[in-house]
Amino acid sequence: MSTGLIIALIVIAAVVVIIAAAMTLRARGARRGPGLKRRFGPEYDRVVARHDGDTQAAERELTERVQRHGDLRERPLEPAQREQYEARWTAAQERFVDSPREAVAEADRLLAELAGARGFPDGGQYEEQLAALSVHHAHHVDGYRRVHRAAHLRPEDARDGGTGTEDMREAMVAARALFEELVRPARHDGGHTGGRHESGRHRAGLNGGRKAPATRGGDLPWAMHRRQAKES
């Protein structure tokens, strides 16, 4: 076999390898988009919008989040810890009636502490904590974002068309879904004292069903009705 033929075969083989590698990468990229969209849900759409519709840039950001935080394993809460967090959340809801801004600030602090207790980055690193939460609780993380934004809005900004009482109420309601996800016992924790059944009962109150039990502090819409009655 001549040297020229050998070189030609080597070149052909190299080209075949390059084409195969390119096709593999393209196939992975095509699969990555739908996979990320399924995993992140509304968070995927929010990130795409923040990148002005650039899906490739958004998917790079979300992929980096998964690489940084995908292996995180949430720590279980002790039953006493869980009860303390639930009591604090109930107190924050009740405080909303007379001091909505203080209640929102407490909800923001509580979510940061609770996420840290479950093994997420410390609440002092809000952006990193939020990124980690979005990997594992993508469908509820925006409630934390909303309540954090409301908690850190200056009163003068609120008066100028920023977050009013109704906006703060909606932020608290949205944030409660993440709270319930984080405070709920994991399947392997045992001692399942609340979880899906109890949180469902809470949502019944939110959607106009029975009023939540007095021991759990009721529900924000009910609290708002009380506030309106007092003001009238």
Side-chain angles (χ1 to χ4, degrees):
M1 185 178 293
S2 67
T3 302
L5 182 57
I6 292 174
I7 293 173
L9 290 173
I10 292 173
V11 170
I12 292 171
V15 170
V16 170
V17 170
I18 292 171
I19 292 173
M23 292 178 66
T24 300
L25 289 173
R26 181 177 296 179
R28 288 179 179 175
R31 289 195 300 269
R32 185 177 69 175
L36 287 171
K37 192 163 188 174
R38 282 194 301 272
R39 176 165 193 161
F40 284 93
E43 184 71 4
Y44 178 94
D45 296 329
R46 193 196 70 81
V47 176
V48 170
R50 189 163 56 79
H51 284 279
D52 297 322
D54 187 341
T55 56
Q56 291 186 342
E59 288 175 2
R60 280 196 299 270
E61 177 182 330
L62 294 174
T63 299
E64 289 172 2
R65 292 190 199 180
V66 173
Q67 290 171 345
R68 291 200 312 273
H69 304 295
D71 292 334
L72 184 149
R73 293 293 177 266
E74 297 183 52
R75 293 195 296 261
L77 296 174
E78 295 294 331
Q81 284 181 294
R82 185 175 300 114
E83 290 177 4
Q84 289 173 357
Y85 285 123
E86 288 176 339
R88 286 177 60 188
W89 186 266
T90 297
Q93 289 189 137
E94 293 173 342
R95 186 180 303 170
F96 190 92
V97 176
D98 298 309
S99 303
R101 193 166 298 280
E102 292 179 11
V104 166
E106 171 61 12
D108 179 51
R109 286 191 297 269
L110 179 53
L111 283 172
E113 291 178 26
L114 177 55
R118 292 304 306 266
F120 290 92
D122 182 78
Q125 312 170 58
Y126 167 72
E127 293 294 342
E128 194 66 10
Q129 187 183 68
L130 192 72
L133 285 166
S134 74
V135 173
H136 297 272
H137 299 279
H139 290 268
H140 302 305
V141 72
D142 194 55
Y144 182 22
R145 182 182 290 112
R146 291 174 62 182
V147 86
H148 182 82
R149 185 167 56 240
H152 289 80
L153 190 71
R154 296 177 302 173
E156 56 268 29
D157 293 334
R159 287 195 298 269
D160 294 336
T163 302
T165 302
E166 178 61 18
D167 296 319
M168 288 188 285
R169 184 193 70 81
E170 291 176 359
M172 283 280 287
V173 171
R176 191 176 66 190
L178 179 62
F179 172 80
E180 290 176 347
E181 284 278 308
L182 291 175
V183 83
R184 176 182 302 148
R187 292 179 180 178
H188 59 274
D189 291 351
H192 189 66
T193 58
R196 295 186 181 275
H197 176 72
E198 191 145 353
S199 64
R201 192 167 57 192
H202 260 292
R203 291 191 182 97
L206 175 63
N207 293 323
R210 292 180 304 169
K211 186 176 72 177
T215 55
R216 296 299 297 258
D219 182 319
L220 275 175
W222 172 70
M224 287 300 298
H225 292 330
R226 282 184 53 194
R227 182 182 182 87
Q228 291 167 358
K230 288 176 63 177
E231 292 174 349
S232 62

